[in-house]
Amino acid sequence: MEHTELLTLRAKLARAEKDARRAAAVPPAPKPMALKPVAPQREAELDGVTTDDFLLGRAHARLRDFVYDSQYHICPHAVGHARAEGFLEHDIVGVLLSGRVRAVYTEERRWLVCGFFESGGIRLPLHVVVQVYVDGVDVVTAFIPKHPHHIISRARLAVMLRYDDEKLKHRTALPGNKAGYRGRGKWKKGA
């Protein structure tokens, strides 16, 4: 019986010493992060682009209100992209409701919204750029990104999509090789 009391006392003493050390220890001061200097050209490109989480959250809440109140218009340029790339207008509206605002262009009064849509059982990314007005939004353009699985920072994505061109880019695919042929325009492999 004395043996267990001694073990209990030792355990209590060890716990008390450990708690005293923790209370007396001062947490180390956080080291200042060494930020890389930003190139002047890059600084100029990011001027006027906001990627602050709080502001983006407020922008998305406002965007959702516009969509729920039917205060949005899908421009012909966005419809052209939708037809060319294989998504529909309701996919654009779905991204406006469920996607995330990734960048706010304050000078141009535009927002970049990133989300996903489903086509043939496959979930594909979709980016939508909206022009913001006091009484609603216009969907300026919508597109599937070229490299959907390539992770790009919000700031870089904002710079890339700051200005959209009004021309619709399209291309036709060349027919592939026939079975049994190697490469393009090569003769059939000899036996």
Side-chain angles (χ1 to χ4, degrees), residues 126-139:
L126 181 64
H127 293 179
V128 179
V129 178
V130 295
Q131 179 85 34
V132 182
Y133 300 104
V134 176
D135 58 345
V137 293
D138 283 347
V139 176

Side-chain angles (χ1 to χ4, degrees), residues 65-73 134-138:
D65 290 342
F66 283 142
V67 174
Y68 285 143
D69 294 339
S70 297
Q71 295 177 337
Y72 66 92
H73 174 259
V134 176
D135 58 345
V137 293
D138 283 347

